[in-house]
């Protein structure tokens, strides 16, 4: 029986992919190459430094920077990204999310955040959801990135729940793979062509009822 739900943040609770995209694109342009929305798909669920590596590969600039320079580039991107997210408002919570969280509460299901982002708490504060979760595991608490299951197993441990009693909501393939590796149920949020092997797939949380947590 499902006793806890673990939510990825970016792309599940809020659409921050557009802000990541704006900031990465700005960096790519400054380095002298283009970066498309399709390229941005490859960065979903991926850590900041790995995202930079992918970006440099796209621009054919792999191997051109020292580790120290790469750190500076990632920091610059993050400063631009923070300019966007520190202006976020409550109305940027994706449709149906708040109602669904409330439904889970009413039914005694625990809720957690399992995100790779080091900016997760800033975002949750801005959109007024910081106090809603039983556990928040973000990029500051983990040592292994998705598809490693660490972010989700840590969230389950913090809630004192068994992995098999948890369901993960994810918009990235790395995140779905991480949930499955943890022995949890995975519900993909997004388009079937981008997301494979999840137990269920939804386009969003609008009008979702408790039935969603029933598995055969
Ligand atoms: C999430 C996003 C990724 C992002 C990562 C790290 O997983 O989907 O696009 O790179 O978090 O985010 P951060 O805010 O720490 O740079
Ligand atoms: Mg995500």
């Amino acid at each position: 029986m499902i006793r806890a739900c673990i939510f990825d943040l970016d792309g599940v609770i809020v659409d921050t992919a557009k802000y990541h995209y704006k900031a990465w694109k700005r960096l790519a342009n400054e380095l002298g190459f283009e970066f498309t929305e399709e390229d941005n798909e490859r960065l979903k669920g991926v850590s900041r430094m790995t995202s930079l590596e992918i970006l440099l590969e796209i621009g054919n600039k792999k191997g051109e920077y020292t580790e120290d320079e790469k750190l500076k580039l990632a920091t610059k991107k993050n400063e631009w990204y923070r300019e966007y997210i520190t202006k976020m408002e409550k109305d940027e919570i994706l449709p149906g999310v708040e109602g669904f969280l409330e439904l889970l509460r009413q039914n005694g299901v625990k809720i957690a955040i399992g995100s790779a982002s080091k900016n997760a708490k800033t975002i949750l504060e801005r959109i007024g959801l910081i106090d809603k979760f039983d556990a928040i595991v973000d990029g500051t608490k983990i040592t292994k990135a998705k598809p490693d299951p660490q972010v989700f197993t840590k969230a389950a441990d913090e809630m004192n729940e068994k992995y098999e009693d948890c369901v993960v909501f994810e918009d990235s393939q790395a995140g779905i793979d991480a949930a499955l590796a943890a022995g949890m149920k995975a519900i993909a949020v997004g388009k079937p062509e981008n997301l494979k092997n999840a137990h269920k797939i939804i386009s969003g949380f609008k009008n979702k009822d408790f039935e969603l947590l029933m598995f055969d």
Side-chain angles (χ1 to χ4, degrees):
M1 203 184 101
I2 297 302
R3 295 174 49 85
C5 289
I6 308 173
F7 294 82
D8 173 48
L9 177 65
D10 295 293
V12 172
I13 305 268
V14 279
D15 176 21
T16 40
K18 62 184 180 212
Y19 300 129
H20 279 296
Y21 174 56
K22 269 175 95 168
W24 283 126
K25 190 177 167 64
R26 191 166 161 186
L27 185 68
N29 292 164
E30 201 175 278
L31 299 178
F33 60 93
E34 266 315 311
F35 179 70
T36 66
E37 270 186 69
E38 199 186 324
D39 294 329
N40 196 52
E41 280 300 310
R42 292 178 59 192
L43 308 190
K44 286 188 179 170
V46 176
S47 76
R48 194 181 306 164
M49 290 313 286
T50 309
S51 297
L52 177 67
E53 295 292 346
I54 297 171
L55 186 100
L56 293 176
E57 185 189 299
I58 289 166
N60 276 322
K61 291 195 176 290
K62 241 186 149 164
E64 281 189 26
Y65 301 94
T66 63
E67 288 308 309
D68 196 43
E69 284 166 337
K70 282 196 254 186
L71 208 57
K72 285 193 180 124
L73 292 176
T75 303
K76 195 185 233 189
K77 178 267 169 179
N78 192 51
E79 280 164 8
W80 290 330
Y81 178 65
R82 287 188 63 86
E83 275 177 29
Y84 306 132
I85 59 164
T86 48
K87 292 192 192 101
M88 283 180 84
E89 300 285 352
K90 203 173 173 49
D91 64 6
E92 290 188 61
I93 299 173
L94 288 169
V97 167
E98 282 190 283
F100 189 66
L101 293 179
E102 192 50 43
L103 180 77
L104 296 177
R105 262 275 163 264
Q106 284 164 5
N107 284 277
V109 175
K110 291 182 190 167
I111 54 177
I113 290 287
S115 165
S117 174
K118 293 189 166 118
N119 293 299
K121 285 198 172 162
T122 304
I123 295 168
L124 288 168
E125 256 164 29
R126 284 296 315 170
I127 60 175
L129 291 185
I130 190 99
D131 298 324
K132 297 276 181 204
F133 296 92
D134 298 290
I136 297 174
V137 179
D138 63 14
T140 65
K141 287 191 180 175
I142 53 168
T143 52
K144 295 179 202 148
K146 299 170 188 174
D148 188 283
Q150 190 191 39
V151 66
F152 298 136
T153 54
K154 223 171 168 4
D157 291 346
E158 283 197 17
M159 292 187 286
N160 273 319
E161 295 296 348
K162 288 193 218 138
Y163 304 157
E164 69 212 53
D165 294 337
C166 295
V167 56
V168 169
F169 290 89
E170 255 294 347
D171 72 319
S172 74
Q173 190 60 48
I176 289 165
D177 294 342
L180 298 176
M184 298 175 180
K185 295 280 189 286
I187 299 185
V189 184
K191 298 195 181 109
E193 58 267 32
N194 299 332
L195 301 162
K196 310 280 177 230
N197 301 329
H199 292 89
K200 291 186 183 186
I201 179 149
I202 57 173
S203 58
F205 290 94
K206 234 172 153 178
N207 304 322
K208 289 290 172 294
D209 56 30
F210 207 63
E211 183 78 7
L212 187 58
L213 300 191
M214 306 297 167
F215 298 89
D216 297 331

